């Protein structure tokens, strides 16, 4: 019970932070949970990927270009377990590459805010339930995306619909939305940060060590 409780908190709060800070928070939470006599893993034994991750899925993510370090795998687990759409801080392009490879079979659409036909592609993806990647965003998101980020869907004649701008379109349950930014240290205002799940995909020295170790082991 305690592990699932901590995992929920990690997904809700720790996305934007570095591995070291996440670990600090998790250790605090484990002490807190234990003080309330809720059963959970011992200090240093808890892992988000072993609580909520599936080994076969994680292996597939690695094949699709997700770095093999624990931090990146935890990020991927957060992406697929969060109720909000992910906004990934991705200066090295690792998350971008992983999403493109993972969703290639599902006919992923890739758009930018500067595209003239952005809204048309967005509406098509929502209606047909194909995944969509919005890349290279800045610190502000287009206000027209708000109903989508807040998932403001409603039923009309038994069908789930969403209003984007002046258009009311059918909302497919298969639709998935990913956002990435190349900015190294973006400052997202609370009104943006509360609508998405912010994820820090920036490479850290520890992450690089983990990845290099993975390469060495594979070579051996």
């Amino acid at each position: 019970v305690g592990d699932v409780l901590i995992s929920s908190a990690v997904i809700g709060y720790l996305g934007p932070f570095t591995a070291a800070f996440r670990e600090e928070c998790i250790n605090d939470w484990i002490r807190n949970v234990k003080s309330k006599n809720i059963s959970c893993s011992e200090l240093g034994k808890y892992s988000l990927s072993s609580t909520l991750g599936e080994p076969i899925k994680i292996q597939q993510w690695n094949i699709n270009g997700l770095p093999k370090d624990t931090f990146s795998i935890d990020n991927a687990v957060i992406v697929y377990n969060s109720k909000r759409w992910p906004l990934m801080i991705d200066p090295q392009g690792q998350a971008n590459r992983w999403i493109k490879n993972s969703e290639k079979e599902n006919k992923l659409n890739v758009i930018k805010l500067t595209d003239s036909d952005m809204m048309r592609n967005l509406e098509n993806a929502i209606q047909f339930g194909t995944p969509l990647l919005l890349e290279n965003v800045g610190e502000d998101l287009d206000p027209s995306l708000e109903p989508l980020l807040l998932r403001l869907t409603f039923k009309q004649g038994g069908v789930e619909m969403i209003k984007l701008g002046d258009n009311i379109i059918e909302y497919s349950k298969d639709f998935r939305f990913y956002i990435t930014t190349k900015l190294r240290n973006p400052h997202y205002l609370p009104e943006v940060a509360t609508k998405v799940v912010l994820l820090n995909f920036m490479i850290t020295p520890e992450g690089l060590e983990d990845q290099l170790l993975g390469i060495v082991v594979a070579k051996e």
Side-chain angles (χ1 to χ4, degrees):
V1 176
D3 285 5
V4 173
L5 182 62
I6 290 164
S7 301
S8 308
V10 172
I11 291 169
Y13 300 111
L14 296 188
F17 301 111
T18 58
F21 186 74
R22 283 185 192 180
E23 200 174 325
E24 215 175 290
C25 288
I26 288 166
N27 289 341
D28 275 353
W29 291 341
I30 288 174
R31 288 187 203 100
N32 202 336
V33 164
K34 282 192 172 301
S35 73
K36 305 275 190 291
N37 293 326
I38 300 169
S39 61
C40 81
S41 294
E42 295 302 317
L43 280 174
K45 297 278 174 67
Y46 165 82
S47 149
L48 178 70
S49 50
S50 59
T51 307
L52 291 180
E54 296 168 36
I56 294 165
K57 235 183 213 172
I58 291 169
Q59 195 178 6
Q60 190 56 51
W61 292 340
N62 292 146
I63 292 166
N64 289 336
L66 181 76
K68 285 189 169 69
D69 60 291
T70 318
F71 184 63
S72 299
I73 291 169
D74 282 357
N75 278 343
V77 171
I78 294 173
V79 167
Y80 281 99
N81 282 283
S82 175
K83 284 274 190 283
R84 290 171 289 172
W85 300 122
L87 196 172
M88 295 169 261
I89 298 161
D90 184 35
Q92 286 94 3
Q94 295 193 114
N96 221 343
R97 192 166 57 248
W98 164 59
I99 293 292
K100 282 177 178 172
N101 290 337
S102 294
E103 296 287 9
K104 197 191 287 178
E105 288 176 6
N106 301 323
K107 302 189 174 74
L108 174 75
N109 275 312
V110 181
I111 58 170
K112 294 182 179 67
L113 286 172
T114 49
D115 292 352
S116 53
D117 56 354
M118 182 194 100
M119 284 312 282
R120 195 179 75 240
N121 285 333
L122 184 62
E123 287 172 11
N124 287 343
I126 293 168
Q127 279 175 301
F128 299 120
T130 50
L132 188 76
L133 169 63
L134 172 62
E135 52 181 18
N136 298 352
V137 297
E139 291 188 343
D140 298 311
L141 294 181
D142 195 310
S144 60
L145 296 173
E146 188 145 323
L148 183 59
L149 297 178
L150 296 172
R151 304 199 192 203
L152 299 176
T153 58
F154 56 92
K155 285 272 170 67
Q156 192 173 306
V159 178
E160 202 156 354
M161 312 290 276
I162 191 166
K163 187 175 187 205
L164 280 186
D166 298 328
N167 299 339
I168 292 176
I169 55 170
E170 197 175 320
Y171 184 88
S172 166
K173 280 201 166 17
D174 296 328
F175 172 70
R176 284 190 300 283
F177 190 36
Y178 307 95
I179 310 169
T180 59
T181 177
K182 277 199 160 74
L183 299 174
R184 281 186 167 275
N185 192 11
H187 178 68
Y188 285 105
L189 294 171
E191 49 264 36
V192 173
T194 53
K195 289 171 194 160
V196 295
V197 57
L198 265 181
L199 281 168
N200 182 357
F201 263 93
M202 200 161 163
I203 296 180
T204 58
E206 298 83 12
L208 273 178
E209 280 173 20
D210 248 8
Q211 289 178 36
L212 287 168
L213 180 65
I215 293 165
V216 171
V217 170
K219 290 277 179 229
E220 284 295 323

